[in-house]
Short mmCIF file of all heavy atoms in Angstrom, two decimals:
data_model
loop_
_atom_site.label_atom_id
_atom_site.label_comp_id
_atom_site.label_asym_id
_atom_site.label_seq_id
_atom_site.Cartn_x
_atom_site.Cartn_y
_atom_site.Cartn_z
N ALA A 35 -23.36 -1.11 -11.51
CA ALA A 35 -22.64 -0.33 -12.52
C ALA A 35 -21.46 0.45 -11.94
O ALA A 35 -21.20 1.59 -12.31
CB ALA A 35 -23.60 0.61 -13.26
N GLU A 36 -20.73 -0.16 -11.03
CA GLU A 36 -19.57 0.48 -10.43
C GLU A 36 -18.48 0.70 -11.47
O GLU A 36 -18.14 -0.20 -12.23
CB GLU A 36 -19.04 -0.40 -9.30
CG GLU A 36 -17.84 0.19 -8.59
CD GLU A 36 -17.37 -0.70 -7.46
OE1 GLU A 36 -17.04 -1.87 -7.72
OE2 GLU A 36 -17.34 -0.23 -6.32
N ARG A 37 -17.93 1.88 -11.51
CA ARG A 37 -16.85 2.20 -12.46
C ARG A 37 -15.52 1.65 -11.94
O ARG A 37 -15.33 1.49 -10.74
CB ARG A 37 -16.75 3.71 -12.65
CG ARG A 37 -18.00 4.29 -13.29
CD ARG A 37 -17.83 5.78 -13.51
NE ARG A 37 -19.03 6.36 -14.05
CZ ARG A 37 -19.29 6.48 -15.36
NH1 ARG A 37 -18.43 6.03 -16.23
NH2 ARG A 37 -20.41 7.02 -15.77
N PRO A 38 -14.60 1.35 -12.86
CA PRO A 38 -13.31 0.77 -12.45
C PRO A 38 -12.55 1.60 -11.42
O PRO A 38 -11.98 1.05 -10.48
CB PRO A 38 -12.53 0.66 -13.76
CG PRO A 38 -13.58 0.58 -14.82
CD PRO A 38 -14.72 1.42 -14.32
N GLN A 39 -12.55 2.93 -11.57
CA GLN A 39 -11.84 3.78 -10.62
C GLN A 39 -12.50 3.72 -9.23
O GLN A 39 -11.81 3.70 -8.21
CB GLN A 39 -11.80 5.24 -11.10
CG GLN A 39 -11.07 5.43 -12.40
CD GLN A 39 -11.96 5.19 -13.63
OE1 GLN A 39 -13.12 4.80 -13.52
NE2 GLN A 39 -11.41 5.42 -14.81
N ALA A 40 -13.82 3.67 -9.21
CA ALA A 40 -14.54 3.57 -7.94
C ALA A 40 -14.27 2.22 -7.29
O ALA A 40 -14.11 2.12 -6.07
CB ALA A 40 -16.04 3.77 -8.15
N ARG A 41 -14.18 1.18 -8.10
CA ARG A 41 -13.88 -0.15 -7.59
C ARG A 41 -12.50 -0.17 -6.93
O ARG A 41 -12.31 -0.72 -5.85
CB ARG A 41 -13.94 -1.18 -8.71
CG ARG A 41 -13.54 -2.57 -8.26
CD ARG A 41 -13.67 -3.55 -9.42
NE ARG A 41 -13.09 -4.80 -9.03
CZ ARG A 41 -12.15 -5.44 -9.70
NH1 ARG A 41 -11.69 -4.97 -10.85
NH2 ARG A 41 -11.67 -6.58 -9.27
N GLU A 42 -11.53 0.44 -7.58
CA GLU A 42 -10.17 0.49 -7.03
C GLU A 42 -10.15 1.19 -5.68
O GLU A 42 -9.52 0.72 -4.73
CB GLU A 42 -9.22 1.18 -8.01
CG GLU A 42 -8.90 0.35 -9.23
CD GLU A 42 -8.04 1.10 -10.23
OE1 GLU A 42 -7.43 2.13 -9.87
OE2 GLU A 42 -7.97 0.65 -11.39
N ARG A 43 -10.85 2.32 -5.57
CA ARG A 43 -10.90 3.06 -4.31
C ARG A 43 -11.62 2.25 -3.22
O ARG A 43 -11.16 2.18 -2.08
CB ARG A 43 -11.60 4.41 -4.51
CG ARG A 43 -10.77 5.43 -5.27
CD ARG A 43 -11.39 6.81 -5.21
NE ARG A 43 -12.74 6.86 -5.75
CZ ARG A 43 -13.05 7.06 -7.03
NH1 ARG A 43 -12.08 7.24 -7.92
NH2 ARG A 43 -14.31 7.10 -7.43
N ARG A 44 -12.75 1.64 -3.60
CA ARG A 44 -13.53 0.86 -2.63
C ARG A 44 -12.71 -0.32 -2.12
O ARG A 44 -12.64 -0.58 -0.92
CB ARG A 44 -14.83 0.37 -3.28
CG ARG A 44 -15.67 -0.51 -2.35
CD ARG A 44 -16.90 -1.04 -3.05
NE ARG A 44 -16.64 -1.76 -4.28
CZ ARG A 44 -16.18 -3.02 -4.35
NH1 ARG A 44 -15.94 -3.71 -3.24
NH2 ARG A 44 -15.99 -3.60 -5.51
N GLU A 45 -12.07 -1.05 -3.04
CA GLU A 45 -11.29 -2.22 -2.64
C GLU A 45 -10.05 -1.84 -1.84
O GLU A 45 -9.64 -2.57 -0.94
CB GLU A 45 -10.95 -3.08 -3.85
CG GLU A 45 -12.18 -3.79 -4.39
CD GLU A 45 -11.89 -4.72 -5.56
OE1 GLU A 45 -10.75 -4.71 -6.09
OE2 GLU A 45 -12.81 -5.47 -5.93
N ALA A 46 -9.46 -0.68 -2.11
CA ALA A 46 -8.32 -0.22 -1.31
C ALA A 46 -8.77 0.07 0.12
O ALA A 46 -8.06 -0.27 1.09
CB ALA A 46 -7.70 1.03 -1.94
N ALA A 47 -9.94 0.66 0.27
CA ALA A 47 -10.48 0.93 1.61
C ALA A 47 -10.82 -0.38 2.31
O ALA A 47 -10.55 -0.54 3.51
CB ALA A 47 -11.72 1.82 1.51
N ALA A 48 -11.38 -1.34 1.59
CA ALA A 48 -11.70 -2.65 2.17
C ALA A 48 -10.42 -3.37 2.61
O ALA A 48 -10.37 -3.95 3.69
CB ALA A 48 -12.47 -3.51 1.16
N LYS A 49 -9.40 -3.31 1.77
CA LYS A 49 -8.12 -3.97 2.11
C LYS A 49 -7.53 -3.37 3.38
O LYS A 49 -6.97 -4.09 4.21
CB LYS A 49 -7.14 -3.85 0.94
CG LYS A 49 -5.91 -4.72 1.08
CD LYS A 49 -5.04 -4.67 -0.16
CE LYS A 49 -5.61 -5.43 -1.31
NZ LYS A 49 -5.26 -6.84 -1.36
N GLU A 50 -7.70 -2.07 3.56
CA GLU A 50 -7.21 -1.41 4.78
C GLU A 50 -7.95 -1.93 6.01
O GLU A 50 -7.33 -2.20 7.04
CB GLU A 50 -7.39 0.11 4.65
CG GLU A 50 -6.84 0.88 5.81
CD GLU A 50 -5.33 0.84 5.92
OE1 GLU A 50 -4.66 0.66 4.89
OE2 GLU A 50 -4.83 0.96 7.05
N VAL A 51 -9.26 -2.10 5.90
CA VAL A 51 -10.04 -2.64 7.02
C VAL A 51 -9.58 -4.06 7.34
O VAL A 51 -9.40 -4.44 8.50
CB VAL A 51 -11.55 -2.62 6.70
CG1 VAL A 51 -12.35 -3.37 7.75
CG2 VAL A 51 -12.06 -1.18 6.56
N CYS A 52 -9.35 -4.86 6.31
CA CYS A 52 -8.94 -6.26 6.49
C CYS A 52 -7.53 -6.40 7.07
O CYS A 52 -7.24 -7.39 7.74
CB CYS A 52 -8.98 -7.01 5.16
SG CYS A 52 -10.64 -7.26 4.49
N SER A 53 -6.69 -5.42 6.82
CA SER A 53 -5.27 -5.57 7.20
C SER A 53 -5.06 -5.82 8.69
O SER A 53 -4.13 -6.53 9.07
CB SER A 53 -4.47 -4.35 6.75
OG SER A 53 -4.85 -3.20 7.48
N ASP A 54 -5.90 -5.27 9.54
CA ASP A 54 -5.75 -5.45 10.99
C ASP A 54 -6.81 -6.37 11.58
O ASP A 54 -6.92 -6.47 12.80
CB ASP A 54 -5.82 -4.10 11.70
CG ASP A 54 -4.64 -3.21 11.35
OD1 ASP A 54 -3.53 -3.74 11.15
OD2 ASP A 54 -4.83 -1.98 11.28
N CYS A 55 -7.59 -7.04 10.74
CA CYS A 55 -8.69 -7.86 11.22
C CYS A 55 -8.18 -9.19 11.77
O CYS A 55 -7.41 -9.89 11.11
CB CYS A 55 -9.70 -8.12 10.11
SG CYS A 55 -11.14 -9.04 10.66
N LYS A 56 -8.66 -9.56 12.95
CA LYS A 56 -8.17 -10.79 13.58
C LYS A 56 -8.76 -12.06 12.97
O LYS A 56 -8.26 -13.15 13.24
CB LYS A 56 -8.41 -10.75 15.09
CG LYS A 56 -9.85 -10.72 15.50
CD LYS A 56 -9.94 -10.64 17.02
CE LYS A 56 -11.37 -10.58 17.48
NZ LYS A 56 -11.44 -10.51 18.95
N VAL A 57 -9.78 -11.94 12.12
CA VAL A 57 -10.36 -13.14 11.49
C VAL A 57 -10.14 -13.14 9.98
O VAL A 57 -10.81 -13.85 9.24
CB VAL A 57 -11.86 -13.30 11.84
CG1 VAL A 57 -12.06 -13.51 13.32
CG2 VAL A 57 -12.68 -12.11 11.33
N ARG A 58 -9.17 -12.36 9.51
CA ARG A 58 -8.91 -12.24 8.07
C ARG A 58 -8.68 -13.59 7.40
O ARG A 58 -9.23 -13.87 6.35
CB ARG A 58 -7.72 -11.32 7.82
CG ARG A 58 -7.49 -11.03 6.34
CD ARG A 58 -6.20 -10.26 6.12
NE ARG A 58 -5.03 -11.03 6.52
CZ ARG A 58 -4.50 -12.03 5.81
NH1 ARG A 58 -5.04 -12.38 4.67
NH2 ARG A 58 -3.44 -12.68 6.24
N VAL A 59 -7.89 -14.44 8.00
CA VAL A 59 -7.57 -15.74 7.38
C VAL A 59 -8.82 -16.62 7.31
O VAL A 59 -9.08 -17.24 6.28
CB VAL A 59 -6.42 -16.44 8.14
CG1 VAL A 59 -6.21 -17.85 7.61
CG2 VAL A 59 -5.14 -15.64 8.02
N ASP A 60 -9.61 -16.64 8.37
CA ASP A 60 -10.86 -17.41 8.35
C ASP A 60 -11.79 -16.90 7.25
O ASP A 60 -12.41 -17.67 6.53
CB ASP A 60 -11.60 -17.31 9.70
CG ASP A 60 -10.85 -18.00 10.82
OD1 ASP A 60 -10.27 -19.07 10.57
OD2 ASP A 60 -10.85 -17.45 11.93
N CYS A 61 -11.86 -15.60 7.13
CA CYS A 61 -12.71 -14.96 6.13
C CYS A 61 -12.25 -15.31 4.71
O CYS A 61 -13.05 -15.67 3.85
CB CYS A 61 -12.67 -13.45 6.36
SG CYS A 61 -13.74 -12.48 5.31
N MET A 62 -10.94 -15.21 4.48
CA MET A 62 -10.39 -15.53 3.16
C MET A 62 -10.64 -17.00 2.80
O MET A 62 -11.06 -17.30 1.68
CB MET A 62 -8.89 -15.24 3.14
CG MET A 62 -8.23 -15.56 1.82
SD MET A 62 -6.46 -15.17 1.80
CE MET A 62 -5.85 -16.17 3.15
N GLU A 63 -10.43 -17.90 3.75
CA GLU A 63 -10.65 -19.31 3.50
C GLU A 63 -12.13 -19.60 3.22
O GLU A 63 -12.46 -20.40 2.34
CB GLU A 63 -10.17 -20.14 4.68
CG GLU A 63 -8.66 -20.17 4.79
CD GLU A 63 -8.15 -20.85 6.06
OE1 GLU A 63 -8.97 -21.23 6.93
OE2 GLU A 63 -6.92 -20.99 6.18
N PHE A 64 -13.03 -18.94 3.94
CA PHE A 64 -14.46 -19.10 3.72
C PHE A 64 -14.82 -18.69 2.29
O PHE A 64 -15.54 -19.41 1.59
CB PHE A 64 -15.25 -18.27 4.73
CG PHE A 64 -16.73 -18.32 4.52
CD1 PHE A 64 -17.47 -19.35 5.05
CD2 PHE A 64 -17.38 -17.33 3.80
CE1 PHE A 64 -18.85 -19.41 4.87
CE2 PHE A 64 -18.74 -17.37 3.60
CZ PHE A 64 -19.49 -18.42 4.13
N ALA A 65 -14.33 -17.54 1.86
CA ALA A 65 -14.63 -17.04 0.52
C ALA A 65 -14.08 -17.97 -0.56
O ALA A 65 -14.75 -18.25 -1.55
CB ALA A 65 -14.07 -15.64 0.34
N ARG A 66 -12.88 -18.46 -0.35
CA ARG A 66 -12.28 -19.38 -1.32
C ARG A 66 -13.05 -20.69 -1.39
O ARG A 66 -13.35 -21.18 -2.47
CB ARG A 66 -10.82 -19.65 -0.94
CG ARG A 66 -9.91 -18.47 -1.20
CD ARG A 66 -8.51 -18.75 -0.72
NE ARG A 66 -7.57 -17.75 -1.22
CZ ARG A 66 -6.25 -17.88 -1.15
NH1 ARG A 66 -5.72 -18.96 -0.61
NH2 ARG A 66 -5.48 -16.94 -1.63
N ASP A 67 -13.39 -21.25 -0.24
CA ASP A 67 -14.08 -22.53 -0.19
C ASP A 67 -15.52 -22.46 -0.71
O ASP A 67 -16.04 -23.43 -1.25
CB ASP A 67 -14.12 -23.08 1.24
CG ASP A 67 -12.73 -23.47 1.75
OD1 ASP A 67 -11.81 -23.62 0.92
OD2 ASP A 67 -12.60 -23.61 2.97
N ASN A 68 -16.15 -21.30 -0.56
CA ASN A 68 -17.56 -21.15 -0.91
C ASN A 68 -17.80 -20.34 -2.18
O ASN A 68 -18.93 -19.98 -2.48
CB ASN A 68 -18.33 -20.53 0.27
CG ASN A 68 -18.36 -21.48 1.43
OD1 ASN A 68 -19.09 -22.47 1.41
ND2 ASN A 68 -17.55 -21.21 2.45
N HIS A 69 -16.73 -20.04 -2.91
CA HIS A 69 -16.84 -19.33 -4.19
C HIS A 69 -17.62 -18.03 -4.05
O HIS A 69 -18.51 -17.73 -4.83
CB HIS A 69 -17.49 -20.22 -5.26
CG HIS A 69 -16.89 -21.58 -5.35
ND1 HIS A 69 -15.69 -21.81 -6.00
CD2 HIS A 69 -17.29 -22.77 -4.86
CE1 HIS A 69 -15.39 -23.09 -5.91
NE2 HIS A 69 -16.34 -23.70 -5.22
N GLU A 70 -17.28 -17.24 -3.04
CA GLU A 70 -18.01 -16.01 -2.73
C GLU A 70 -17.67 -14.88 -3.69
O GLU A 70 -16.58 -14.79 -4.23
CB GLU A 70 -17.70 -15.56 -1.30
CG GLU A 70 -18.25 -16.46 -0.24
CD GLU A 70 -19.76 -16.44 -0.15
OE1 GLU A 70 -20.40 -15.48 -0.62
OE2 GLU A 70 -20.31 -17.40 0.41
N TYR A 71 -18.64 -14.00 -3.84
CA TYR A 71 -18.47 -12.75 -4.58
C TYR A 71 -18.08 -11.67 -3.59
O TYR A 71 -18.30 -11.80 -2.39
CB TYR A 71 -19.77 -12.37 -5.29
CG TYR A 71 -20.12 -13.32 -6.40
CD1 TYR A 71 -20.93 -14.42 -6.16
CD2 TYR A 71 -19.64 -13.12 -7.68
CE1 TYR A 71 -21.25 -15.31 -7.17
CE2 TYR A 71 -19.95 -14.00 -8.70
CZ TYR A 71 -20.76 -15.09 -8.44
OH TYR A 71 -21.06 -15.96 -9.44
N GLY A 72 -17.51 -10.59 -4.09
CA GLY A 72 -17.17 -9.47 -3.23
C GLY A 72 -15.75 -9.58 -2.68
O GLY A 72 -14.94 -10.39 -3.13
N PHE A 73 -15.46 -8.73 -1.74
CA PHE A 73 -14.13 -8.61 -1.14
C PHE A 73 -14.16 -9.31 0.21
O PHE A 73 -14.93 -8.94 1.09
CB PHE A 73 -13.79 -7.12 -0.97
CG PHE A 73 -12.33 -6.86 -0.82
CD1 PHE A 73 -11.55 -6.58 -1.91
CD2 PHE A 73 -11.74 -6.90 0.43
CE1 PHE A 73 -10.19 -6.32 -1.78
CE2 PHE A 73 -10.39 -6.66 0.59
CZ PHE A 73 -9.62 -6.37 -0.52
N TRP A 74 -13.35 -10.33 0.39
CA TRP A 74 -13.34 -11.15 1.62
C TRP A 74 -11.90 -11.39 2.06
O TRP A 74 -11.06 -11.77 1.25
CB TRP A 74 -13.99 -12.51 1.37
CG TRP A 74 -15.44 -12.51 1.12
CD1 TRP A 74 -16.09 -12.12 -0.02
CD2 TRP A 74 -16.47 -12.95 2.01
NE1 TRP A 74 -17.44 -12.29 0.12
CE2 TRP A 74 -17.70 -12.80 1.35
CE3 TRP A 74 -16.45 -13.46 3.31
CZ2 TRP A 74 -18.90 -13.14 1.95
CZ3 TRP A 74 -17.65 -13.80 3.90
CH2 TRP A 74 -18.87 -13.64 3.22
N GLY A 75 -11.64 -11.21 3.32
CA GLY A 75 -10.33 -11.57 3.88
C GLY A 75 -9.15 -10.92 3.20
O GLY A 75 -8.08 -11.51 3.10
N GLY A 76 -9.33 -9.71 2.73
CA GLY A 76 -8.23 -9.00 2.08
C GLY A 76 -8.07 -9.32 0.60
O GLY A 76 -7.12 -8.87 -0.02
#
Side-chain angles (χ1 to χ4, degrees):
E36 181 179 58
R37 296 182 183 270
Q39 298 85 356
R41 176 178 171 234
E42 288 176 17
R43 287 190 302 272
R44 177 183 55 77
E45 289 183 351
K49 191 174 286 272
E50 183 68 27
V51 171
C52 292
S53 68
D54 294 326
C55 184
K56 64 182 179 180
V57 297
R58 186 187 64 77
V59 173
D60 293 321
C61 184
M62 179 179 58
E63 289 173 355
F64 177 85
R66 287 176 168 193
D67 293 343
N68 293 286
H69 311 282
E70 292 291 339
Y71 292 91
F73 200 93
W74 291 75

